[in-house]
Amino acid sequence: MELLSDTDEGRACATDLLCKGRLVAFPTETVYGLGADACDDRAIARIFEAKGRPSFNPLIAHFSDVEGVKRHVHWTDDAEALAHAFWPGPLTLVLRKRENSPISRLVTAGLDTLAVRVPAHPTAKAVLGAFGGAVAAPSANLSGQISPTRAAHVTEAMADRIDAVIDAGPCSVGVESTIVGLTDRPVLLRPGGVSEDEIVAVLGGPIAIRKNVEAISAPGQMISHYAPDAAVRLNAVDWQDGEARLGFGPVECDLNLSEREDLVEAAARLFDHLHRLDSEGGRIAVSPIPHHGLGVAINDRLSRAAAPRD
Ligand code: TXA
Ligand code: MG
């Protein structure tokens, strides 16, 4: 695996590898993605292999601009409004795929819908722009494990499974994109970097929330997900012996998501702190996180990390 610098040269090398059907991890503002040419069946199959991912779980196609997106999906008024408000940024839209779209069926897992996103991170924008087409990119972690917000998280888990990673430092948002389904009435499929309130304000009406985590199209998946090796105890108001203590607010702890109770800061630190406490072994206890704004996405990831495993 090549460790690429975030320079013109490193970005050009990443683009070249994508054109050759190889797997390249790159930063987005949410988490690091594991990218491959979305129209290349073999390259996409290698993503599933590298992640150990159940192939019924579809991937998000990433583009450098809205025009690229519209070539592959049936655009709607709600899509226009949300894209105008939040793209480039941490929002994914699920729309009907155009019949003539050359996107690999492995990307959509055979569904007639496609998840699309235009990320804001300058490195992602540069590589996607130079590549010119759709890049399918799940989070660059092994299936079911903690998402990567630094290049080191990617290399620790994936070094012998992928071709390259661009190291552009930590991701600013830190939780994955919000996913909104627009094939029927708008539905929130996964809470994420854009809050429900912000989406509702743009749509001008309430949004349905998909609660059935077992439905195929539901993002995220299996109930146990984003799981550290350590067991996780939520809403800890006191600490027990031997626990690694992940705090929020003015509490004594090992690592704090945000001393000043800032949910944006907490989201940006979440996966990195889980990675670090997980490497100490034992159990991780986590302070209660307020359930509004980005706190909804944080609590979604934490409750999956704490869910019973097989
Ligand atoms: O922030 C993000 O979204 C990151 C960065 C790399 O862009 N990507 C990411 O990808 O989180 P991934 O594969 O870890 O999660 C994508 C989720 C999956 O849970 C999948 O179920 C859902 O998107 N998804 C993809 N296509 C879908 C579709 N057609 N309908 C419903 N859900 C879909
Ligand atoms: Mg993921």
Side-chain angles (χ1 to χ4, degrees):
M1 187 208 70
E2 284 184 74
L3 185 60
L4 303 174
S5 60
D6 187 32
T7 56
D8 287 349
E9 201 187 351
R11 293 171 179 186
C13 181
T15 307
D16 188 48
L17 286 168
L18 288 173
C19 291
K20 290 177 175 151
R22 312 290 282 274
L23 305 191
V24 180
F26 62 94
T28 78
E29 67 277 23
T30 58
V31 300
Y32 275 72
L34 179 58
D37 181 348
C39 297
D40 180 337
D41 290 326
R42 282 174 59 95
I44 301 305
R46 288 191 59 217
I47 287 188
F48 288 108
E49 182 188 53
K51 281 184 64 81
R53 181 176 189 145
S55 54
F56 51 76
N57 203 356
L59 307 178
I60 298 170
H62 297 67
F63 299 84
S64 64
D65 56 35
V66 187
E67 278 56 53
V69 171
K70 289 180 181 171
R71 284 200 277 277
H72 295 275
V73 293
H74 293 287
W75 201 238
T76 69
D77 290 345
D78 284 342
E80 181 67 29
L82 291 172
H84 182 72
F86 302 115
W87 277 355
L91 175 70
T92 293
L93 301 176
V94 174
L95 292 158
R96 293 215 178 283
K97 188 170 71 126
R98 287 191 185 277
E99 294 64 34
N100 60 357
S101 164
I103 299 267
S104 166
R105 283 188 185 285
L106 290 171
V107 169
T108 54
L111 301 171
D112 58 5
T113 56
L114 179 66
V116 290
R117 159 153 133 85
V118 177
H121 194 292
T123 311
K125 283 174 82 116
V127 172
L128 290 168
F131 179 74
V135 171
S139 48
N141 52 282
L142 294 172
S143 189
Q145 298 195 354
I146 305 169
S147 292
T149 54
R150 294 171 181 269
H153 299 156
V154 179
T155 54
E156 279 159 23
M158 310 287 281
D160 53 356
R161 295 167 168 258
I162 67 177
D163 297 300
V165 55
I166 307 182
D167 185 353
C171 303
S172 60
V173 176
V175 290
E176 294 86 344
S177 60
T178 300
I179 305 182
V180 175
L182 292 177
T183 52
D184 192 2
R185 272 187 333 127
V187 47
L188 185 71
L189 296 172
R190 176 176 74 181
V194 179
S195 74
E196 182 189 336
D197 292 347
E198 293 174 286
I199 305 273
V200 165
V202 170
L203 291 176
I207 184 169
I209 300 190
R210 174 73 54 85
K211 286 249 161 62
N212 178 6
V213 289
E214 259 137 19
I216 276 195
S217 70
Q221 338 146 342
M222 310 9 140
I223 293 175
S224 169
H225 201 84
Y226 307 100
D229 291 331
V232 178
R233 183 168 73 87
L234 302 180
N235 299 314
V237 288
D238 49 23
W239 309 117
Q240 296 169 8
D241 282 351
E243 287 181 330
R245 303 165 302 177
L246 181 56
F248 179 84
V251 293
E252 202 185 303
C253 54
D254 296 304
L255 290 175
N256 203 315
L257 288 169
S258 176
E259 295 81 356
R260 53 195 166 96
E261 300 178 273
D262 175 349
L263 290 166
V264 173
E265 180 174 63
R269 290 179 176 172
L270 176 67
F271 289 132
D272 186 52
H273 281 5
L274 283 174
H275 272 279
R276 286 165 60 183
L277 294 177
D278 198 26
S279 61
E280 294 173 13
R283 184 161 75 168
I284 302 172
V286 192
S287 293
I289 310 293
H291 203 68
H292 58 78
L294 274 182
V296 178
I298 295 171
N299 283 324
D300 173 75
R301 306 309 187 267
L302 283 172
S303 61
R304 290 176 197 283
R309 324 274 168 81
D310 291 334

